[in-house]
Amino acid sequence: MTNVVVVGTQWGDEGKGKIVDWLSERADVVVRFQGGHNAGHTLVIDGKVYKLSLLPSGVVRPGKLGIIGNGVVIDPWALDEEIERLRAQGVSVTPDTLKIADNAVLILPLHRDLDALREDARAGAKIGTTRRGIGPAYEDKVGRRAIRVCDLADEETLKMRIDALLGHHNALRAGLGAEVIDADGLLAELKVIAPRILPFADVVWRRLDEYRRRGRRVLFEGAQGAMLDIDYGTYPFVTSSNTIAGQAATGSGMGPQAIGYVLGITKAYTTRVGSGPFPTELDDDVGRGLGERGHEFGTVTGRARRCGWFDAVLVRQAMKTNGVDGIALTKLDVLDGMKELKVCVGYMLDGERLDHFPSNMRRQARVEPIYETMEGWPDSTAGARSWADLPATAIKYIRRIEELIEAPVAMVSTSPEREDTILVHDPFAD
């Protein structure tokens, strides 16, 4: 048996929720290893819809343990609300079904404030942040002034951490014209939320080591996508954490030797939310049609996603930086009925052909896609559960994608329903 890491290979919103749900039935433990409540997964189980932001997908399944790793930044108030929302849907979230790394960093109201103040101050150069305080919380983590889950259990330590934190943030707030924060007020807020969060706190790295020794299957659940990675994404239009597969080890404390299979979730076309370069974007009826058929609106933000043709250059790059073993190709059915399809196979920049996406921001914005045109299919692929159910031209499209990205297709998703999946290779079988 092996442990599986699930990562997005584009700009997020690839349909990870359904695939993680499908895999979580086969896993014993599901671990979130990066990001915060700026990410969202939508699960559809027996016709019932669950929207998750911080909680690992495994929490909706009886008998599974969900873990929020140290690589995640946690808004305790948002987490409490999410737990209560799931309980209202009949899902019991208890300290027996959910563990939170005691060394995970907290997102505080001051982080949300700073996020919004900075985004508003950027005028025409907005990053596209969700304004949930994710970036400022990670800044405090690397600046060694953050408040962590374990600090909630020790009032004297908590007071010292608050003083150190406000020494930095109140200076920033003054410079941005915002009111300074009272230390006693923040302490009082944290003392109220602490009893709601501390029962879930645990030494996660040790617990995961125990599960590894007992041969339990662990599913590592990533958020966002590879092109939003702080190092390998379209910087600065990225998230504030490492979204690639290597972070599964760092963000959980389990160690790289525990990763057995990397599954890249890849949409059959391309979407992006917010600002930043997008070489294959379609600002026309075709793009709008993809958005309408694919219901392309953010789970967390509700923002409409930008849509475009499949970009094999970007995805191939993600295969390399993530060490992807196979992909789950999602939303194939959205392409049904299109007469022709285009796939980006390279870029042109200043008369030079590129086989990768450059790191420089100005060069990224100027690349022009080189397209290969393929025949579409008039028949429906929605609900297909075997290769025999797919039109020949759809299979040809899938095979060409495999060639271009240099990675095999392990799964094909043909609708939001979990059983509408063509399984080529079970990642847990290795």
Side-chain angles (χ1 to χ4, degrees):
M1 293 187 291
T2 192
N3 300 321
V4 176
V5 180
V6 173
V7 291
T9 63
Q10 293 151 310
W11 278 293
D13 309 310
E14 298 95 350
K16 291 184 292 295
K18 170 190 168 172
I19 303 301
V20 168
D21 168 57
W22 193 92
L23 290 167
S24 68
E25 189 174 48
R26 293 154 174 76
D28 300 300
V29 186
V30 184
V31 184
R32 266 288 305 274
F33 60 84
Q34 51 79 216
H37 64 307
N38 56 338
H41 285 170
T42 299
L43 310 182
V44 182
I45 303 174
D46 298 328
K48 199 167 186 177
V49 178
Y50 303 93
K51 293 184 182 293
L52 307 179
S53 293
L54 270 170
L55 291 172
S57 299
V59 299
V60 301
R61 294 199 166 279
K64 311 294 181 181
L65 177 65
I67 288 179
I68 299 177
N70 57 277
V72 178
V73 285
I74 301 169
D75 183 322
W77 294 274
L79 177 60
D80 188 49
E81 289 174 7
E82 189 173 339
I83 290 171
E84 290 305 313
R85 188 170 65 250
L86 277 187
R87 284 174 176 164
Q89 289 186 274
V91 178
S92 177
V93 182
T94 71
D96 291 326
T97 61
L98 175 67
K99 302 294 182 183
I100 301 172
D102 63 354
N103 57 336
V105 164
L106 297 178
I107 299 173
L108 307 177
L110 56 83
H111 293 125
R112 296 195 298 269
D113 292 347
L114 183 58
D115 214 353
L117 287 166
R118 284 175 169 172
E119 188 73 350
D120 290 339
R122 288 188 180 105
K126 295 184 184 298
I127 298 296
T129 171
T130 58
R131 300 170 181 250
R132 283 167 167 75
I134 312 299
Y138 275 117
E139 287 179 44
D140 284 339
K141 177 178 181 175
V142 298
R144 294 167 291 188
R145 54 181 171 264
I147 294 173
R148 304 191 295 176
V149 172
C150 56
D151 297 331
L152 296 176
D154 182 347
E155 186 171 336
E156 288 307 309
T157 297
L158 186 56
K159 288 178 179 177
M160 288 189 292
R161 300 307 306 153
I162 288 174
D163 287 341
L165 187 65
L166 292 187
H168 174 79
H169 275 268
N170 277 339
L172 287 177
R173 293 174 70 90
L176 291 166
E179 292 183 4
V180 297
I181 294 171
D182 175 62
D184 291 337
L186 179 55
L187 176 63
E189 288 184 81
L190 289 170
K191 287 173 69 174
V192 170
I193 197 64
R196 309 280 295 176
I197 303 301
L198 284 174
F200 300 98
D202 195 27
V203 184
V204 158
W205 64 264
R206 185 173 62 187
R207 184 171 294 274
L208 285 172
D209 182 63
E210 291 171 359
Y211 283 125
R212 181 183 64 82
R213 292 174 183 275
R214 289 156 57 184
R216 298 292 181 87
R217 289 176 169 178
V218 180
L219 177 63
F220 297 94
E221 177 183 2
Q224 289 102 17
M227 299 314 298
L228 292 174
D229 185 271
I230 189 68
D231 287 306
Y232 296 102
T234 49
Y235 191 91
F237 303 99
V238 293
T239 193
S240 301
S241 61
N242 287 111
T243 61
I244 61 173
Q247 178 64 16
T250 307
S252 67
M254 200 168 183
Q257 76 280 2
I259 298 173
Y261 190 99
V262 178
L263 180 68
I265 314 302
T266 306
K267 193 178 289 186
Y269 50 102
T270 311
T271 62
R272 176 165 200 168
V273 170
S275 305
F278 186 169
T280 66
E281 183 173 10
L282 296 169
D283 187 18
D284 56 16
D285 289 342
V286 176
R288 286 185 284 275
L290 288 172
E292 291 168 4
R293 291 193 302 276
H295 306 290
E296 297 294 353
F297 297 92
T299 299
V300 171
T301 63
R303 289 184 292 182
R305 297 171 186 146
R306 300 154 62 191
C307 298
W309 296 120
F310 187 85
D311 191 331
V313 182
L314 285 181
V315 175
R316 183 173 61 245
Q317 203 157 310
M319 298 300 103
K320 312 303 182 185
T321 57
N322 283 276
V324 169
D325 294 291
I327 69 166
L329 188 67
T330 63
K331 291 201 167 186
L332 182 69
D333 54 303
V334 175
L335 302 180
D336 291 352
M338 300 184 72
K339 291 183 178 181
E340 67 174 30
L341 305 169
K342 293 184 179 181
V343 176
C344 176
V345 297
Y347 303 126
M348 290 300 296
L349 178 64
D350 299 333
E352 176 188 4
R353 179 165 177 151
L354 302 179
D355 63 357
H356 71 284
F357 199 52
S359 298
N360 179 271
M361 181 175 68
R362 286 174 55 81
R363 286 169 61 83
Q364 288 177 352
R366 289 168 45 230
V367 298
E368 294 291 337
I370 300 169
Y371 286 119
E372 182 176 297
T373 301
M374 300 186 66
E375 183 183 357
W377 52 89
D379 303 320
S380 174
T381 64
R385 299 184 180 183
S386 72
W387 287 114
D389 296 331
L390 294 177
T393 44
I395 295 175
K396 185 177 180 181
Y397 182 74
I398 294 169
R399 294 306 187 202
R400 183 57 178 149
I401 283 176
E402 287 182 313
E403 293 173 357
L404 290 169
I405 68 173
E406 300 175 11
V409 170
M411 304 169 70
V412 180
S413 172
T414 57
S415 95
E417 291 295 330
R418 69 189 309 270
E419 297 304 327
D420 291 341
T421 304
I422 300 170
L423 180 62
V424 182
H425 177 78
D426 185 348
F428 277 122
D430 286 358

